[in-house]
Amino acid sequence: MTELIADRIARSVRDVPDSVAVIDRRESVSYREFWSQVERSAAGMRGLRRVAVLPTSDVGSLVTVVAAMSAGVSVVLLHRHLLPEQYAQVIEVAGPGAVVASASQHRRMRRLGCTNPIERLDADGSHFGAESDSELLVGVTSGTTGEPKLFVRKQHSWAQTLDRSDEVFDVRTGDRISAPGALDHTHFLYGAVHGLTRGAAIDLRPAVDALGSGATHLYSVPTIAWDIARSGAGPFLSVREVLSSAARWPSAGREALQQVLPHASLVHFYGASELSFVSYDRGVEPAAGTLFDGVDVEVRGGIVHVRSDMLFDGYLTSGGVAGGPVDGWMAVGDRGSLDGRQLTLFGREVETLIRSGLNVELAPIEAAALAIPGITEAACVAIPDARMGEVPALAVVLDGDALSSNAIRRALRDSLPSPSMPAVITALAQLPRTARGKLDRQALGATFATERTAPSTTNQSVSAPLS
C-alpha cells in the first residue's frame, strides 16, 4: 500500500528532527518544532470534515494544511483571486467547519464575506488519522472568473503523485527547496509538501532570497523564471533542478534562467488539477514531453485523454461528486499528438488561457466589457507574453463618444479579478468576422500582434500593455 503524506513527513521528523523544515520571512522551524505545531493543529480539527484555508507563504499556513492532511480533514483550498460571490458559492457547496487564514488576510476574508476567520486551530490531545480513501483536497478550478468548479482529490491520489516525484525529481534529505509562489497555488503547495516528505528544508521566501541562501531546487512558473533572470542577481551555482509547470515555457525564458542557474536541470511538466502529472521534458529547448510512469494517453479527435492512478475523483456539487473520469479516462480540453510515450501539446480547445499559472476564461471578460455603457461589442483573445506565458487582449467597439482608458479599466476592475484584467485594450471600428459572420479570432489575434509591434493609424488603442 502506498505510504500516505502524513506518514512520509513523520518519517522525516524521525530521521532529521533538528534539521530545518520550513523558512519564511519571519522564522525558521525545525522538523521537530514543525511537527509539534502540526499535531496541535490537527487536534484542534477534531470533529471537522472539511476546513477552508487561504494559505500564504508562511509557516502557519503550511502547518494548517499538513495538519488537516494528517488528521484526514479535507482542505478546501481558497485562493486570493476569488470574488465575493464565488467565495459564497464555494462555502455553500463545500460546507467547511472552519475558515482559517493568517491575521494579515483577515481583512481580505471579511471583504469576501467571511465574518469569523480563524488564524489557527490549536488544541491538546489526539486526533484521527487519514486513510487512503480520505478526501484530501477540494480546490477551485475553471479559471479566475465565472462559476467556480471544485475538484476533489483523495489521499491516495496525492500519494501516488508523490511516488512519481520521487522517481523523476532529484530531491534528497538536506536539500533546500525554494517554493516562492503563494501556497494557494497547488503547484507551490505540492512542492512544499513533497519537500517535507523528503526531509528537505522548504524556503517560502522570495526566490532570490532563497537562491542566495543555497537553494538546491526551485519550484517555478515561467513568470517567476523571467523575474529571476531579469533581477540582475546570481549566478546561483547551488541549484540542481528547476521544476516548472503551468503556462508554456518558451526557449527564450529557459535560456535566460539557465544563465542565472548554470548547473540546474530545467524540468517542465504538464498536468492539471484534475489529472496531476502527465508528462515532462528537460532542457533549454522545449520538446515533446515524456509520459510519467503509470500514465496512459489517447488522443481522440485531437483532444488529449489521460488515464492514471493520480486522477481526481470529480467535481464537488450540491448533489455530491460528479463529472469525474469515465471508464478511468479524463480530458481537460488540451489538444495534442502522441508518438509512443512522447506527448506534444498544441494548446487549449476551449477559450481559456494560462496567465502566470492561473486559468483565465475569456468569455467572462467579454461579458464584463459589454456591461459597460458605451461598449456595443467586445471580444477577447489570448496573446503570447514572454513573462506571463499568455495574457488576455480585449477589443471593443464603442458607441458614440470614446470612453477613456481609465473609465474602462475602473469598470472592469469592479467585476474582474486582477488575473483577468486585459493586458491590452483596443477600440476598433468593427470586429473582424468570418464569411459566415462569426468572430474571426485568428484575425483579431493578428491585429493585436500588429498593435504590439507598430503604431496603428486606424484603430484607437485605449490602453498600453500591463507590466
Side-chain angles (χ1 to χ4, degrees):
M1 178 179 171
T2 300
E3 190 177 30
L4 299 185
I5 294 169
D7 297 328
R8 298 176 194 231
I9 299 177
R11 176 159 37 84
S12 296
V13 176
R14 293 192 300 271
D15 291 346
V16 289
D18 298 318
S19 296
V20 172
V22 189
I23 310 152
D24 65 18
R25 291 175 183 266
R26 297 181 302 173
E27 63 178 324
S28 171
V29 297
S30 69
Y31 269 91
R32 191 195 313 273
E33 294 165 334
F34 179 77
W35 195 248
S36 175
Q37 294 182 42
V38 166
E39 291 284 85
R40 289 190 59 82
S41 184
M45 297 179 190
R46 281 194 303 265
L48 297 184
R49 180 188 178 195
R50 297 186 180 116
V51 57
V53 184
L54 177 63
T56 49
S57 297
D58 64 287
V59 172
S61 293
L62 198 51
V63 164
T64 299
V65 170
V66 172
M69 293 177 172
S70 175
V73 176
S74 181
V75 176
V76 180
L77 188 65
L78 306 175
H79 66 71
R80 60 197 181 281
H81 299 300
L82 281 173
L83 300 172
E85 57 269 26
Q86 294 175 322
Y87 171 79
Q89 291 170 352
V90 170
I91 296 302
E92 180 181 359
V93 173
V99 179
V100 180
S102 67
S104 65
Q105 297 298 309
H106 284 191
R107 179 177 295 179
R108 181 195 298 269
M109 295 305 302
R110 291 190 177 95
R111 287 200 301 268
L112 288 177
C114 177
T115 58
N116 58 337
I118 301 169
E119 185 170 7
R120 181 177 296 186
L121 293 162
D122 191 77
D124 295 321
S126 60
H127 59 83
F128 297 113
E131 297 180 356
S132 178
D133 202 42
S134 298
E135 187 180 276
L136 173 84
L137 183 71
V138 176
V140 182
T141 188
S142 80
T144 55
T145 57
E147 194 81 13
K149 295 174 69 176
L150 307 180
F151 66 89
V152 177
R153 296 285 297 272
K154 294 287 184 68
Q155 286 271 346
H156 61 77
S157 172
W158 261 37
Q160 299 286 2
T161 306
L162 289 168
D163 286 345
R164 302 315 194 283
S165 292
D166 292 346
E167 294 166 3
V168 175
F169 308 144
D170 180 29
V171 180
R172 313 168 192 166
T173 300
D175 281 343
R176 181 181 289 250
I177 312 297
S178 171
L183 298 180
D184 63 355
H185 193 311
T186 52
H187 175 58
F188 297 104
L189 178 62
Y190 176 83
V193 170
H194 177 236
L196 290 171
T197 68
R198 303 295 288 172
I202 310 305
D203 198 326
L204 301 176
R205 297 176 300 167
V208 171
D209 293 340
L211 297 176
S213 298
T216 59
H217 292 71
L218 170 67
Y219 265 83
S220 182
V221 293
T223 306
I224 288 177
W226 267 118
D227 290 346
I228 294 170
R230 292 170 173 169
S231 69
F236 301 104
L237 306 182
S238 60
V239 181
R240 299 197 313 270
E241 213 167 31
V242 175
L243 307 175
S244 177
S245 77
R248 291 184 293 274
W249 194 10
S251 57
R254 300 190 191 207
E255 289 170 357
L257 187 64
Q258 189 78 83
Q259 295 297 314
V260 182
L261 310 178
H263 297 163
S265 172
L266 306 184
V267 185
H268 190 69
F269 51 87
Y270 159 64
S273 300
E274 298 91 340
L275 307 177
S276 193
F277 290 148
V278 177
S279 63
Y280 66 95
D281 69 84
R282 292 182 184 270
V284 171
E285 290 298 328
T290 301
L291 299 184
F292 282 84
D293 285 347
V295 174
D296 296 320
V297 165
E298 291 182 356
V299 178
R300 306 172 187 170
I303 304 301
V304 175
H305 289 69
V306 177
R307 178 176 64 186
S308 80
D309 54 8
M310 297 179 283
L311 300 187
F312 81 142
D313 274 44
Y315 299 105
L316 184 65
T317 71
S318 57
V321 177
V326 177
D327 296 328
W329 292 90
M330 185 70 194
V332 294
D334 292 313
R335 297 178 295 111
S337 66
L338 186 67
D339 182 6
R341 299 285 293 173
Q342 301 299 117
L343 177 64
T344 300
L345 296 167
F346 303 136
R348 301 283 291 174
E349 177 194 31
V350 295
E351 298 302 331
T352 302
L353 62 86
I354 302 177
R355 181 181 194 170
S356 298
L358 295 172
N359 289 348
V360 176
E361 295 176 353
L362 302 185
I365 302 174
E366 295 172 349
L370 289 171
I372 300 173
I375 294 179
T376 59
E377 293 184 87
C380 196
V381 295
I383 59 175
D385 184 272
R387 178 173 177 266
M388 290 179 278
E390 297 173 305
V391 292
L394 177 67
V396 297
V397 176
L398 303 177
D399 179 20
D401 294 336
L403 294 168
S404 70
S405 64
N406 287 338
I408 292 176
R409 288 199 171 276
R410 279 197 303 270
L412 290 176
R413 286 195 181 100
D414 288 340
S415 57
L416 296 175
S418 56
S420 297
M421 287 296 295
V424 181
I425 304 174
T426 296
L428 303 177
Q430 59 185 15
L431 297 179
R433 302 282 179 182
T434 67
R436 296 188 176 186
K438 293 184 178 181
L439 176 68
D440 190 336
R441 292 189 180 274
Q442 185 174 357
L444 185 57
T447 297
F448 279 111
T450 303
E451 288 277 325
R452 298 193 109 189
T453 57
S456 172
T457 57
T458 59
N459 299 328
Q460 177 193 359
S461 179
V462 298
S463 173
L466 292 177
S467 60

